[in-house]
Amino acid sequence: MIRTATPADIPVIHRLVRELAEYEKAPDEAKATQEQLHTALFGEQPAAYSLIAENEAGEPVGFCVYFLNFSTWRGVHGIYLEDLYVRPEARGGGHGKALLTELARICVERGYGRLEWSVLDWNAPSIAFYESLGARPQDEWTVYRLTDEALEKLGS
């Protein structure tokens, strides 16, 4: 059901990223090209990694993209889950849980201290799903982001 993505999966990963952006009501914000995804996932120094969820027929029905972070407090790496998406027709089939289970297995196997991600505050089905697995919100932290003009201004 879950396998490591290969370069041949780039078109489907790109399509699933677009579907996720539409689900999250931000289709215009998903600007990554297939070439960018290929470089990020399979280039000389990969910046991220991906898993593919397949149905019984071997068709991709979901994916996740993750990268390593580091905790100075724990002194070890963790995984940050950038994207997790399962197509609507495949939801409830265990694919999302299988993706998270594989990421947790990787963390445990490699001695990583955390598996973290963000979820939109309006996404009640996902929040309920994550909490059913034992995940807890980190309400004391507020995420900040610099993009576009603000990033350019600060970085110039």
Side-chain angles (χ1 to χ4, degrees), residues 22-42:
E22 288 186 28
Y23 174 76
E24 291 185 349
K25 303 173 185 158
D28 295 336
E29 293 182 40
K31 298 177 183 181
T33 65
Q34 289 188 34
E35 293 77 20
Q36 288 172 314
L37 291 172
H38 186 276
T39 299
L41 297 172
F42 303 106

Side-chain angles (χ1 to χ4, degrees), residues 1 53-59 61 93 95:
M1 182 184 292
E54 295 180 334
N55 63 16
E56 296 79 19
E59 300 162 334
V61 295
H95 299 93

Side-chain angles (χ1 to χ4, degrees), residues 4-130:
T4 301
T6 68
D9 291 312
I10 290 297
V12 76
I13 292 169
H14 187 256
R15 193 165 39 256
L16 290 166
V17 167
R18 301 286 311 155
E19 290 177 27
L20 172 61
E22 288 186 28
Y23 174 76
E24 291 185 349
K25 303 173 185 158
D28 295 336
E29 293 182 40
K31 298 177 183 181
T33 65
Q34 289 188 34
E35 293 77 20
Q36 288 172 314
L37 291 172
H38 186 276
T39 299
L41 297 172
F42 303 106
E44 211 172 290
Q45 294 183 338
Y49 309 92
S50 183
L51 300 173
I52 302 292
E54 295 180 334
N55 63 16
E56 296 79 19
E59 300 162 334
V61 295
F63 83 116
C64 71
V65 171
Y66 65 96
F67 56 89
L68 299 184
N69 57 17
F70 184 79
S71 170
T72 56
W73 288 16
R74 291 184 173 236
V76 295
H77 282 291
I79 285 179
Y80 187 85
L81 173 60
E82 177 65 22
D83 288 333
L84 185 146
Y85 178 74
V86 175
R87 289 184 163 145
E89 65 272 13
R91 291 183 190 152
H95 299 93
K97 183 176 182 181
L99 287 164
L100 284 168
T101 298
E102 179 60 13
L103 291 176
R105 187 196 66 73
I106 292 168
C107 284
V108 170
E109 177 183 278
R110 298 180 187 174
Y112 298 165
R114 295 179 178 157
L115 172 55
E116 297 179 307
W117 63 92
S118 297
V119 60
L120 291 166
D121 59 6
W122 56 259
N123 193 344
S126 293
I127 291 168
F129 167 64
Y130 297 144

